[in-house]
Amino acid sequence: RYKADEAYLVGEGKKPIDAYLDIEGIIEIAKRSEADAIHPGYGFLSENIELAKRCAEEDIMFIGPEIRHLDMFGDKVKAKEQAVLAGIPAVPGSDGPVASLEEAAAFGSEHGYPLMVKASLGGGGRGMRIVRNKGELKEAYERAKSEAKAAFGSDEVYVEKYIENPKHIEVQILGDRDGNIVHLFERDCSVQRRHQKVVETAPCVSLSDDMRERICGAAVQLMKHVGYLNAGTVEFLVKDDEFYFIEVNPRIQVEHTITEMITGI
């Protein structure tokens, strides 16, 4: 802040998180200071579709993906649908959200265990439960739903096959207004605790050149399919000689800094 030419206080008198999420306060300051663009930063409002919509209404540029991409990739079920349409392999899962415990059990019967119950709007390792057998399903389903409701305001969940001990690989993407989409190679975020990334390295030292090419190519293919604009990350699970799409982060991540170190971009 001390390096900025001008600084303004957002959310006066509010608690820190409420202040960070004060969309109207931010818009008001942008208008008062005659800003023509807003960069939302790394977290908090960076994937918030309401901020992007308010910027559009006030004719302020939102420095981030387009509103349709925030909508598409903010919901993991919608994101997976796009991956399938783009011809990218995805983890076998339910065809959209599961409406009942019976639906989840039917998926388990068809595809076998272990499986995972996941929040549709999830992130940060919350709203996820591994189910090793049918006996564990009821409790896992109910806990995932209640955790999703508390963390994301929606108790919508889906189920998918649980891939044991995969590598977790993510590909950094940049897209411009002229339809050019490039990848900046991959990061390995397999070191995790409670499904949250702890250590990331770039590049992934255990990927073969062939697999690296396939995964980076798949990420570009997906983003071209949706006409993506701005920075984004496409995440995959890798097991043996197969890889599976899991989600897209439609923003720049803190992890981009290690990509900067290996690419200079």
Side-chain angles (χ1 to χ4, degrees), residues 123-126 128 147 191-198:
R126 289 173 299 178
M128 293 166 72
E147 201 173 284
V191 181
Q192 300 185 7
R193 178 170 177 268
R194 294 182 188 152
H195 311 296
Q196 282 218 289
K197 301 163 188 174
V198 180

Side-chain angles (χ1 to χ4, degrees), residues 141-236:
Y141 177 77
E142 286 167 358
R143 289 186 73 165
K145 277 179 86 73
S146 68
E147 201 173 284
K149 181 75 176 166
F152 311 111
S154 163
D155 68 353
E156 189 176 280
V157 295
Y158 64 105
V159 292
E160 64 182 26
K161 194 91 176 111
Y162 178 58
I163 311 289
E164 292 271 14
N165 296 322
K167 280 201 277 286
H168 192 147
I169 306 295
E170 57 188 28
V171 179
Q172 178 67 52
I173 292 291
L174 292 176
D176 70 12
R177 289 194 176 279
D178 296 318
N180 299 302
I181 293 189
V182 296
H183 71 77
L184 302 183
F185 297 97
E186 82 290 344
R187 300 185 287 262
D188 184 343
C189 46
S190 304
V191 181
Q192 300 185 7
R193 178 170 177 268
R194 294 182 188 152
H195 311 296
Q196 282 218 289
K197 301 163 188 174
V198 180
V199 175
E200 294 219 18
T201 58
C204 172
V205 294
S206 56
L207 274 192
S208 68
D209 288 344
D210 176 57
M211 181 60 92
R212 174 175 290 111
E213 209 168 288
R214 284 166 62 199
I215 290 178
C216 292
V220 170
Q221 188 175 321
L222 170 60
M223 296 311 226
K224 279 192 168 165
H225 164 73
V226 299
Y228 192 77
L229 176 69
N230 215 261
T233 301
V234 188
E235 301 199 8
F236 299 94

Side-chain angles (χ1 to χ4, degrees), residues 1 17 51 73 76 90 103 159 172 219 226 229 234 245 256:
R1 173 167 81 79
I17 289 186
L51 173 62
F73 295 132
K76 289 184 167 134
E103 262 188 54
V159 292
Q172 178 67 52
V226 299
L229 176 69
V234 188
F245 167 84
H256 188 275

Side-chain angles (χ1 to χ4, degrees), residues 23-261:
I23 292 174
E24 292 311 314
I26 291 166
I27 294 287
E28 190 272 320
I29 287 170
K31 289 169 76 173
R32 180 155 46 99
S33 63
E34 298 183 347
D36 50 15
I38 293 176
H39 190 301
Y42 278 139
F44 295 106
L45 296 173
S46 61
E47 288 185 30
N48 189 295
I49 197 165
E50 296 312 317
L51 173 62
K53 283 176 178 171
R54 287 294 289 119
C55 285
E57 287 164 8
E58 299 290 345
D59 203 25
I60 297 167
M61 181 183 282
F62 175 77
I63 303 174
E66 294 178 346
I67 290 170
R68 65 194 176 102
H69 295 133
L70 290 171
D71 175 55
M72 182 187 296
F73 295 132
D75 181 322
K76 289 184 167 134
V77 174
K78 287 183 185 173
K80 200 168 174 181
E81 284 170 2
Q82 290 302 321
V84 171
L85 288 172
I88 310 295
V91 179
S94 56
D95 194 15
V98 288
S100 65
L101 178 62
E102 289 71 31
E103 262 188 54
F107 179 87
S109 299
E110 186 183 339
H111 293 275
Y113 292 83
L115 56 82
M116 194 172 234
V117 184
K118 295 170 97 168
S120 292
L121 303 182
R126 289 173 299 178
M128 293 166 72
R129 285 285 182 277
I130 298 166
V131 186
R132 299 263 167 212
N133 54 58
K134 193 175 181 179
E136 294 179 2
L137 183 61
K138 185 174 189 293
E139 187 192 358
Y141 177 77
E142 286 167 358
R143 289 186 73 165
K145 277 179 86 73
S146 68
E147 201 173 284
K149 181 75 176 166
F152 311 111
S154 163
D155 68 353
E156 189 176 280
V157 295
Y158 64 105
V159 292
E160 64 182 26
K161 194 91 176 111
Y162 178 58
I163 311 289
E164 292 271 14
N165 296 322
K167 280 201 277 286
H168 192 147
I169 306 295
E170 57 188 28
V171 179
Q172 178 67 52
I173 292 291
L174 292 176
D176 70 12
R177 289 194 176 279
D178 296 318
N180 299 302
I181 293 189
V182 296
H183 71 77
L184 302 183
F185 297 97
E186 82 290 344
R187 300 185 287 262
D188 184 343
C189 46
S190 304
V191 181
Q192 300 185 7
R193 178 170 177 268
R194 294 182 188 152
H195 311 296
Q196 282 218 289
K197 301 163 188 174
V198 180
V199 175
E200 294 219 18
T201 58
C204 172
V205 294
S206 56
L207 274 192
S208 68
D209 288 344
D210 176 57
M211 181 60 92
R212 174 175 290 111
E213 209 168 288
R214 284 166 62 199
I215 290 178
C216 292
V220 170
Q221 188 175 321
L222 170 60
M223 296 311 226
K224 279 192 168 165
H225 164 73
V226 299
Y228 192 77
L229 176 69
N230 215 261
T233 301
V234 188
E235 301 199 8
F236 299 94
L237 295 180
V238 179
K239 178 79 176 184
D240 302 322
D241 198 35
E242 298 295 325
F243 67 90
Y244 306 94
F245 167 84
I246 42 174
E247 64 172 321
V248 169
N249 293 298
R251 59 187 168 90
I252 192 163
Q253 293 176 284
V254 289
E255 302 95 300
H256 188 275
T257 47
I258 60 170
T259 292
E260 287 181 17
M261 290 180 77

